[in-house]
Amino acid sequence: MKMLSRIFGRRRRYDDLSVSIQEHIELRAEELMEEGVPRGEAERAARREFGNVALIKERSREEWQWAALESILADLKLVLRRLRKSPGFAATILLTLAIGIGANTAVFSVVDCVLLKPLPYPNSGELVDLSLNAPGAGGLANFASGLQLSPSMYLTFSENNKTFQSMGIWSEGKSNVTGVGQPHQVNAEFISDGVLQTLNVPATVGRWFNAADQDPRGAKTAILSYGYWQRRFGGDRGVIGRSIQVDAEHREIVGVMPRGFRMVDNDFDLMLPMAIDRSQLRLAPFGYSGIGRLKPGITRVQANADVARLLSLWMDSWSNGPGTNPHYYERWKISPNFQLLKTQVIGSVSSVLWVVMGTVGLVMLIACTNVANLLLVRAESRQQELLIRSALGGGRARIARELLVESVTLVLAVAAAIASYLPARRASAVDPVEALRAE
Amino acid sequence: MAKNSEHRDLFPGALEIMILQSLRLKPMHGYALVKHIKAVSDNLLQVEEGSLYPALQRMLREGWLEAETGLSAKGRPTRIYKLTEAGVQHLEAEVVSFEKMFAGITRVLAVARA
């Protein structure tokens, strides 16, 4: 209330003030004239004695103002006017800062996606990539990802382990789809039971595969990716229950995975149940990616030890056909080498990314130095003006503040520009995993 | 009223109570206040215009004074400042606290001299 009446009553106060001061000077002049001083001289003397009318008025008016706020506004007006007069200077600073900040934001959003929250699955810290070391396997396991699982291994591990909540294997391939527009080829993921439970991302529409779907003699079903659903079915929710022909086999669509869902680092169109037939299983072939979700509190090392003891059970349980020695694989010296999924997906990119982040950080630093230099030179060229101001009574703090207001205005302008154009947003719209794969 | 270095700056609050006390005697305009204080103090105190007008505005803001619009005897517009009830109370409180302060200062100076 008080604040409001102060602001609205101000004009009257200012009028009162002017009248008072005018009266003061006139009365003093009249007094001098009564003492015999000529009118003109008396008026000049009265004015001189009174002092700086403008300054005293200003000081008095400030009692009614939010002095700091209003004089900052005045500074701001001055700064804007001056920037408009030197658009080259303003543009240089804005561009330098905008590019510096933009580059940092772009790189940081990649770092953020890839390193800080890379896996779009709940509790992704529990996920491990199931791969094995097999130094005795010769060429078979001579690649970076080690030896992959076989379906029989998966069944043995999955049914006998004590350290995993769930695990599953998958392989990818191409399938031909007919009966939906033109026949076309799609990326398919063949997944065993346990994969969806492990990733633990619910279907957007419909359901996951269940045990019946994984029965080799059971119903033939399929799950769509979000992208494929949108492209081929126009996002129609009635797609559940529809039949499509995949590799000349009729399959019923039972679910659609949410947008952005991928098989670890693979985009896919169709997910098909692997439908493992136990009666046909042998020890080999090895070639399936495996993923598992650790029980809470279990470490990778404990999981390795747990599964290591299951290897002989695996060799006891299956064979490669009559007349083969199932314990042949002991020569391969197989041992579990499970990695956290995050480590496995990011790999060596991590250090590279941090170096890039550091580099753009330095670029930002250089940009800041340049801008600081430009501002210094500008202040230097205004030295005369500033000297005159301080000679006229401008305080140090007041002058410093005006220069600060100028810098802050420039920075805010950059922030506004970036916020409105969002160049970083666009840069980061490139899928980071895609970007990494292109590497 | 040449600015004279012999006139010391008044300590904070002193100008206010002199203005309040002067206006308690009778409402005055700004110039009369300056002359009044100068005359009453036998030229010992001189009020600077640069301090007076901001002080008047500050006191108006605090509600200790009110400004009345009027015309002077010569028909010129004038603003007469007069004390409000809050101003009287403030003055009385301040006078008590100033008296205590003067008493204290006097005693300390007396001991130092002895």
Side-chain angles (χ1 to χ4, degrees), chain A residues 268-319:
Chain A
F268 65 92
D269 300 309
L270 271 186
M271 237 180 207
L272 306 172
M274 196 179 272
I276 298 168
D277 187 351
R278 268 173 187 273
S279 62
Q280 302 293 316
L281 274 195
R282 301 183 164 208
L283 287 164
F286 310 90
Y288 293 84
S289 309
I291 190 171
R293 184 178 283 275
L294 294 173
K295 287 181 178 165
I298 298 289
T299 65
R300 195 165 63 81
V301 179
Q302 284 169 303
N304 278 341
D306 180 33
V307 170
R309 86 191 153 78
L310 297 175
L311 281 166
S312 62
L313 177 65
W314 166 64
M315 287 183 272
D316 291 340
S317 310
W318 317 90
S319 85

Side-chain angles (χ1 to χ4, degrees), chain A residues 83 86-99 374 410 414:
Chain A
L83 286 180
S86 48
F89 168 80
T92 311
I93 293 216
L94 293 188
L95 271 181
T96 312
L97 286 180
I99 290 170
L374 277 175
L410 285 167
V414 172

Side-chain angles (χ1 to χ4, degrees), chain A residues 34 58 180 310 324 356:
Chain A
E34 275 162 27
E58 189 180 324
V180 185
L310 297 175
T324 57
V356 173

Side-chain angles (χ1 to χ4, degrees), chain A residues 87-383:
Chain A
F89 168 80
T92 311
I93 293 216
L94 293 188
L95 271 181
T96 312
L97 286 180
I99 290 170
I101 296 174
N104 267 273
T105 320
V107 172
F108 181 76
S109 34
V110 173
V111 166
D112 184 46
C113 285
V114 174
L115 299 184
L116 304 181
K117 42 182 180 194
L119 299 173
Y121 309 113
N123 296 328
S124 59
E126 291 172 353
L127 295 177
V128 288
D129 169 64
L130 306 179
S131 67
L132 308 164
N133 267 340
L140 254 180
N142 199 13
F143 35 85
S145 58
L147 181 68
Q148 290 184 299
L149 301 189
S150 72
S152 57
M153 264 178 178
Y154 152 67
L155 285 178
T156 310
F157 295 169
S158 153
E159 286 158 8
N160 298 288
N161 80 78
K162 295 189 174 67
T163 46
F164 286 90
Q165 298 180 42
S166 59
M167 62 168 72
I169 55 171
W170 79 92
S171 68
E172 59 210 60
K174 303 278 184 200
S175 286
N176 298 308
V177 174
T178 46
V180 185
Q182 292 284 319
H184 54 279
Q185 198 177 47
V186 297
N187 293 320
E189 301 282 348
F190 298 88
I191 66 169
S192 76
D193 197 22
V195 168
L196 290 170
Q197 289 84 339
T198 300
L199 296 177
N200 199 18
V201 175
T204 293
V205 185
R207 59 170 177 87
W208 286 347
F209 294 134
N210 57 24
D213 299 319
Q214 293 288 358
D215 183 343
R217 280 162 293 276
K220 301 286 181 219
T221 50
I223 290 179
L224 308 181
S225 78
Y226 188 88
Y228 187 62
W229 179 48
Q230 292 292 334
R231 283 197 308 278
R232 287 285 164 177
F233 301 93
D236 174 18
R237 301 178 79 87
V239 79
I240 303 299
R242 248 179 89 172
S243 175
I244 55 171
Q245 209 170 0
V246 183
D247 293 335
E249 216 172 14
H250 283 286
R251 286 178 178 275
E252 181 193 341
I253 298 171
V254 296
V256 178
M257 291 312 282
R259 165 180 248 156
F261 175 83
R262 45 170 72 223
M263 264 317 290
V264 184
D265 53 359
N266 282 328
D267 272 325
F268 65 92
D269 300 309
L270 271 186
M271 237 180 207
L272 306 172
M274 196 179 272
I276 298 168
D277 187 351
R278 268 173 187 273
S279 62
Q280 302 293 316
L281 274 195
R282 301 183 164 208
L283 287 164
F286 310 90
Y288 293 84
S289 309
I291 190 171
R293 184 178 283 275
L294 294 173
K295 287 181 178 165
I298 298 289
T299 65
R300 195 165 63 81
V301 179
Q302 284 169 303
N304 278 341
D306 180 33
V307 170
R309 86 191 153 78
L310 297 175
L311 281 166
S312 62
L313 177 65
W314 166 64
M315 287 183 272
D316 291 340
S317 310
W318 317 90
S319 85
N320 272 337
T324 57
N325 171 17
H327 284 264
Y328 161 81
Y329 290 112
E330 276 164 13
R331 283 190 224 162
W332 281 18
K333 303 189 185 71
I334 299 175
S335 65
N337 180 32
F338 301 159
Q339 300 289 335
L340 287 179
L341 191 63
K342 184 175 165 179
T343 323
Q344 201 266 334
V345 170
I346 297 171
S348 58
V349 177
S350 154
S351 49
V352 176
L353 265 185
W354 284 121
V355 169
V356 173
M357 185 77 228
T359 314
V360 292
L362 276 181
V363 169
M364 186 68 217
L365 202 65
I366 294 171
C368 288
T369 321
N370 281 327
V371 168
N373 259 326
L374 277 175
L375 287 171
L376 268 180
V377 169
R378 189 168 154 87
E380 191 77 11
S381 68
R382 286 177 53 199
Q383 196 143 33

Side-chain angles (χ1 to χ4, degrees), chain A residues 16 23 26 30-31 64, chain B residues 31 35 57 76 78-79:
Chain A
D16 285 356
E23 183 187 11
E26 280 171 8
E30 275 167 24
E31 243 175 42
W64 297 101
Chain B
Y31 183 57
K35 288 215 302 183
Q57 299 302 312
R76 262 200 297 263
T78 175
R79 293 292 181 274

Side-chain angles (χ1 to χ4, degrees), chain A residues 2 6 12-13 16-17 19-21 23-24 26-28 30-31 49-50 56 59-60 63-64, chain B residues 1 3 29-31 34-35 49-50 53-54 57-58 60-61 66-67 74 76-79 81:
Chain A
K2 204 177 164 189
R6 199 199 273 187
R12 179 172 72 86
R13 299 297 186 187
D16 285 356
L17 182 69
V19 170
S20 261
I21 290 177
E23 183 187 11
H24 185 125
E26 280 171 8
L27 286 174
R28 177 65 187 147
E30 275 167 24
E31 243 175 42
E49 276 174 18
F50 188 88
I56 291 174
R59 289 262 164 78
S60 307
E63 299 291 341
W64 297 101
Chain B
M1 250 183 276
K3 311 293 180 228
H29 53 71
Y31 183 57
V34 174
K35 288 215 302 183
E49 290 81 353
Y53 286 96
Q57 299 302 312
R58 197 157 54 240
L60 283 166
R61 192 187 73 201
E66 202 34 72
K74 291 181 181 165
R76 262 200 297 263
T78 175
R79 293 292 181 274
Y81 297 96

